[in-house]
Amino acid sequence: MAARVVIFFKTMQAARCPTDELSLTNCAVVSEKDLQSGQNVTVKTTPNHKFVFTVKTHHTVAPGSIAFSLPQRKWAGLSIGQEVEVANYNFDKSKQCIGSMTIEIDFLQKKSTDTSPYDSDKMAAEFIQQFNNQAFSVTQQLVFSFCDKLFGLMVKDIEAMDASILKGEPASGKKQKIDVGLMVGNSQVVFEKAESSSLTLVGKAKTKEARQTIINPDWNFEKMGIGGLDKEFSDIFRRAFASRVFPPDIVEQMGCKHVKGILLFGPPGCGKTLMARQIGKMLNAREPKIVNGPEILNKYVGESEANIRKLFADAEDEQKRLGANSGLHILIFDELDAICKQRGTGASSTGVHDTVVNQLLSKIDGVEQLNNILVIGMTNRPDLIDDALMRPGRFEVKMEIGLPDEKGRVQILNIHTNKMRSFDLLAQDVDIKELAAETKNYSGAELEGLVRAAQSTAMNRHIKATSTVEVDMEKAEKLRVTRNDFMGSLNNDIKPAFGTNAEDYSSYIMNGIIKWGDPVSHVLDDGELLVQQTKNSDRTPLVAVLLEGPPHSGKTALAAQIAEDSEFPFIKICSPDKMIGHSEISKCQAIKKVFDDAYKSQLSCVVVDDIERLLDYVPIGPRFSNLVLQALLVLLKKAPPKGRKLLIIGTTSRKDVLQEMEMLDAFSTTIHVPNISTGEQLVDALELLGSFSDKERASIAQQLKGKRVWIGIKKLLVLIEMSLQMDETYRVTKFLSLLRDEGADRKFYE
């Protein structure tokens, strides 16, 4: 006889569960006049929110009411007396029977916690018995009584039972997640301890968390003194440890091999060694063996290789005894380039480096390779390391530890000022975010040095200036490190190795930019557009512009001004005056170093000044350095690494020469910087310079009216200064005479 299906739809009032005993049933309680025990209903609380409950009848509940326990009301967002729409809900047993359900568990009340182990298998059997044939939803909350203890549960995940099993057929292996399911007798329940819970679970019916012990859950970047490396850490864990947190049997079934080597590289002082030093604290593994590269080398034959074998001996022995269940052994090589140089280099050497590399390769990825090791190498010269070590299976994870961004600098400064802050030794006017914004391109080590310098400045204020060095104890008790201490150290003591040195370009614009006419304004405006293009455009990470014009027209000063106005974190001027006496090879290396340093910053500007001088060009012959030319052509066209942007500003007085060398094509655009060409422009320049009196300028203007001149601003400054050395009576005459002589041979002064 078919079961009678009761169609039900009614508006009811939410009420409080009548007894504690009924609260533990996970059922909504109704009057027997409304519904039958065991029915499943949907409770619609808002137009967009429905919740599925199994109901139970009780005589104390008034008709038209539906009673919920506190966890149910909390889950569904119900309040006492709220009107809800209640309707029948029928499960599709071919798709909605629970195959497995993951439940997060913790003590209901913190005061009732204990350290006794609870058998999760018995707990699962009791759970299925108590709640058999009931509806469960993902995120549902309920109370569970086990061994006279109350536990708070939350459903995390539900997988539907395989339809093949329900038909009595072999399992298909397909798994489907569902939001609502019906508990049946052969459902599986898996308990997972809530985060930060002190509950101890034993048995099989718990998650594989016990096996995922490689990563210590208590580690914290800032407590360990590491800041600004969040992304790098997450990438390392994803690549190096994802396969290690899985049970060995699953890894073996996948045919997965663990990552055995990580190479950390980047500028000095950015946290490579610090990261490796702390990595043992982050992992529930044996204490890492930290090895400085040069310590491996030994003057006796074979001893260097023996030192490598000793490092791997413990891991080798454990793998033989325990196989796949062996623990993780971590080896950290600092200054890896000291022992792993390219093989075959250095003809006069003893070949020790070659055999050390061979021994290391055989241990990491040889015939009897080890699968329970993780080798972390660190270097700031990855170009020196043998190529064989860099392929997958060896140091396959290559991670650049670059200069910290602003968010990273905030973290680092917080770490180094944390102790001062806790003892109230940091003044209120110190703004860490302001300091982070001011310290573009500072490495972690330089930021630490900045804090130390500020501390020294603050302490120095409290030392008595007497014949003996004494501390003024009365003032020392009021010691505070202030904003001025940091700013003073920032300006005077600590300068970034990869950054902007104002002294580099200040000498080029010590007289300022004289805007004698529209041509100068146009150059600066175009320069500003190129700066904005570099900052904002994702399609052109490399922008190269050439400022060309006659000698002394102010090209270098304009290039330096555009670079300074850009406020890029990295600004460097590549100038021939720093390469006097360099050979062609050393000049190429110096130019390449400037560009390599620029690639390490998010935003960089490189000024390549006086290109024809860098190329050693002379018109007699003519001759030039083809080696430097080819190096510049490559660097001018080479796009910076992903996520980095570079603006290159070149200057030249011989555009025709660069045209013949096919160098103009390497620049995105060319901007012409002209000389002063009219008397009116020259008078405007004199007025801006303020060197002559109004009467003298009027006399000069009268003499130059309607005449054509041709003189660079730099040359004009020299003529003015020479004229000013004369007596006031002869200044104007001398200036006009010098101006006439300057342009006489080219007929520029007419």
Side-chain angles (χ1 to χ4, degrees), residues 59 61 170 240 268 309 326 351 403 409 468 535 547 567 572 683 685 705 712 741:
H59 65 277
V61 179
R309 289 194 293 274
S326 170
L403 296 167
R409 294 195 294 274
T468 59
K535 281 182 181 177
L547 302 186
E567 296 184 349
K572 275 285 190 293
V683 172
K705 189 174 182 180
D741 293 344

Side-chain angles (χ1 to χ4, degrees), residues 43-281:
V43 176
K44 190 174 181 182
T45 58
T46 68
N48 299 321
H49 292 87
K50 288 182 180 178
F51 301 87
V52 180
F53 291 93
T54 303
V55 300
K56 194 176 186 71
T57 60
H58 197 265
H59 65 277
T60 58
V61 179
S65 293
I66 181 166
F68 300 95
S69 66
L70 179 62
Q72 289 171 330
R73 296 199 303 273
K74 186 178 176 184
W75 171 54
L78 287 162
S79 55
I80 304 298
Q82 179 180 341
E83 287 193 348
V84 293
E85 292 178 10
V86 181
N88 270 34
Y89 184 88
N90 295 314
F91 281 96
D92 181 351
K93 294 194 176 180
S94 66
K95 296 178 181 177
Q96 289 185 288
C97 286
I98 295 174
S100 68
M101 183 164 68
T102 304
I103 298 174
E104 187 175 274
I105 183 169
D106 196 3
F107 293 107
L108 184 65
Q109 296 177 326
K110 298 299 180 187
K111 62 182 180 182
S112 65
T113 58
D114 61 40
T115 55
S116 304
Y118 288 88
D119 190 329
S120 58
D121 298 323
K122 291 180 181 177
M123 197 178 275
E126 180 75 14
F127 183 92
I128 293 169
Q129 189 176 346
Q130 280 190 36
F131 304 115
N132 191 25
N133 214 31
Q134 282 194 20
F136 285 90
S137 305
V138 175
T139 71
Q140 182 175 341
Q141 298 179 23
L142 64 150
V143 179
F144 174 50
S145 175
F146 180 75
C147 294
D148 297 324
K149 283 272 186 184
L150 293 179
F151 297 91
L153 308 184
M154 195 268 285
V155 179
K156 287 190 71 175
D157 186 64
I158 301 175
E159 282 181 3
M161 188 171 287
D162 194 334
S164 304
I165 295 173
L166 295 170
K167 296 174 185 175
E169 300 171 1
S172 66
K174 293 180 180 178
K175 293 184 179 181
Q176 184 177 359
K177 293 188 183 297
I178 53 176
D179 293 323
V180 182
L182 183 70
M183 175 70 67
V184 292
N186 56 347
S187 298
Q188 289 185 339
V189 176
V190 178
F191 287 99
E192 179 176 293
K193 187 176 73 170
E195 191 177 348
S196 74
S197 172
S198 59
L199 177 66
T200 305
L201 292 177
V202 294
K204 295 179 181 177
K206 63 187 178 69
T207 53
K208 300 172 182 64
E209 185 183 15
R211 279 172 259 177
Q212 299 177 10
T213 55
I214 189 165
I215 299 174
N216 187 337
D218 299 325
W219 60 263
N220 176 290
F221 293 125
E222 297 199 2
K223 285 183 183 175
M224 294 189 173
I226 300 174
L229 296 174
D230 306 52
K231 182 182 180 298
E232 287 80 357
F233 262 96
S234 61
D235 286 348
I236 286 172
F237 285 137
R238 175 178 60 83
R239 291 295 312 278
F241 303 121
S243 63
R244 296 183 185 274
V245 298
F246 272 79
D249 52 340
I250 295 178
V251 175
E252 194 173 334
Q253 289 166 15
M254 291 180 69
C256 175
K257 288 186 178 179
H258 299 309
V259 167
K260 290 184 251 176
I262 302 171
L263 182 68
L264 307 178
F265 66 94
C270 287
K272 300 184 298 294
T273 307
L274 177 62
M275 181 193 287
R277 196 185 302 143
Q278 301 290 359
I279 209 163
K281 297 177 185 177

Side-chain angles (χ1 to χ4, degrees), residues 683-734:
V683 172
D684 288 344
L686 293 177
E687 186 174 350
L688 288 168
L689 288 165
S691 302
F692 292 106
S693 66
D694 293 345
K695 185 179 178 181
E696 289 171 328
R697 281 201 302 276
S699 175
I700 294 170
Q702 184 66 31
Q703 293 287 332
L704 296 178
K705 189 174 182 180
K707 292 196 175 182
R708 187 167 69 88
V709 297
W710 188 255
I711 187 168
I713 186 70
K714 192 174 177 183
K715 194 72 171 181
L716 179 63
L717 284 167
V718 174
L719 300 187
I720 290 170
E721 290 304 311
M722 192 184 299
S723 304
L724 292 176
Q725 308 311 310
M726 299 288 292
D727 188 82
E728 290 184 11
T729 312
Y730 304 104
R731 280 181 186 175
V732 173
T733 307
K734 182 63 177 175

Side-chain angles (χ1 to χ4, degrees), residues 17 88 159 259 267 289 312 342 390 405 436 482 507 569 596 634 653 682 701 703 718 727:
C17 193
N88 270 34
E159 282 181 3
V259 167
K289 293 181 180 177
F312 290 89
Q342 290 278 358
M390 308 294 274
D405 58 12
T482 66
S507 60
D596 285 344
V634 170
S653 301
L682 193 147
Q703 293 287 332
V718 174
D727 188 82

